[in-house]
Amino acid sequence: MSQKLLFIYNADSGIRNAIVDVAHKVLSPSTYSCSLCQLTHGALSEKKVWQKFREDLEAKGTRLEFLHKDEFGKKYRSKFGHKFTYPIVLIEGNSGFEILVRTQELETLETAQNLINVVKERI
């Protein structure tokens, strides 16, 4: 089985939430609550360096899943019984999901390249 990474954003899904998030990121980036989104996306699209890294991982057989916290809760929380803080990066292990990059660490990273380096070191 190929490796699976889950990236869970500290935001809820849906068009309305996306619009509010974009506005918040543009108007008040210092108070925006999803450091994962800030690292991987600009105001309107995925950052090129992150997109290339993601595509390279997938080409090598790593499965990636990107979820908003409400989607993760619906799909996995009852199955694994974990409570996580968001954003977070998880890796699928033999006994469920293990933390690859904690919320607090994501908040200290300054660029998409910093995140890429951390993920590369740990997988």
Side-chain angles (χ1 to χ4, degrees), residues 18-19 25 42 44 64 71-72 75-76 78 94 97-98 100 102-103 105 110:
I19 292 168
K25 247 198 306 195
L44 299 174
L64 305 176
E71 295 166 325
F72 176 75
K75 188 169 182 180
Y76 292 108
S78 61
N94 293 333
F97 292 111
E98 299 169 12
L100 189 69
R102 296 183 180 281
T103 302
E105 187 175 6
E110 295 180 6

Side-chain angles (χ1 to χ4, degrees), residues 1-20:
M1 179 169 86
S2 66
Q3 199 167 37
K4 181 176 183 178
L5 302 179
L6 272 83
F7 296 82
I8 300 125
Y9 297 103
N10 188 29
D12 287 326
S13 60
I15 280 291
R16 182 186 168 284
N17 290 319
I19 292 168
V20 170

Side-chain angles (χ1 to χ4, degrees), residues 30 41-42 47 55 69-70 84 86 113:
S30 65
H41 289 75
K47 292 180 179 176
E55 290 169 352
K69 63 184 178 182
D70 63 320
F84 296 110
Y86 305 104
Q113 189 62 55

Side-chain angles (χ1 to χ4, degrees), residues 36-86:
L36 178 59
C37 185
Q38 287 181 319
L39 290 168
T40 61
H41 289 75
L44 299 174
S45 64
E46 188 174 31
K47 292 180 179 176
K48 296 293 182 204
V49 65
W50 177 254
Q51 180 181 1
K52 181 180 179 336
F53 173 69
R54 180 182 54 74
E55 290 169 352
D56 288 348
L57 276 181
E58 291 171 328
K60 293 176 183 169
T62 301
R63 294 177 298 138
L64 305 176
E65 189 168 4
F66 296 86
L67 298 168
H68 296 92
K69 63 184 178 182
D70 63 320
E71 295 166 325
F72 176 75
K74 289 175 192 167
K75 188 169 182 180
Y76 292 108
R77 187 170 294 149
S78 61
K79 185 176 180 180
F80 294 101
H82 294 296
K83 280 210 160 236
F84 296 110
T85 57
Y86 305 104

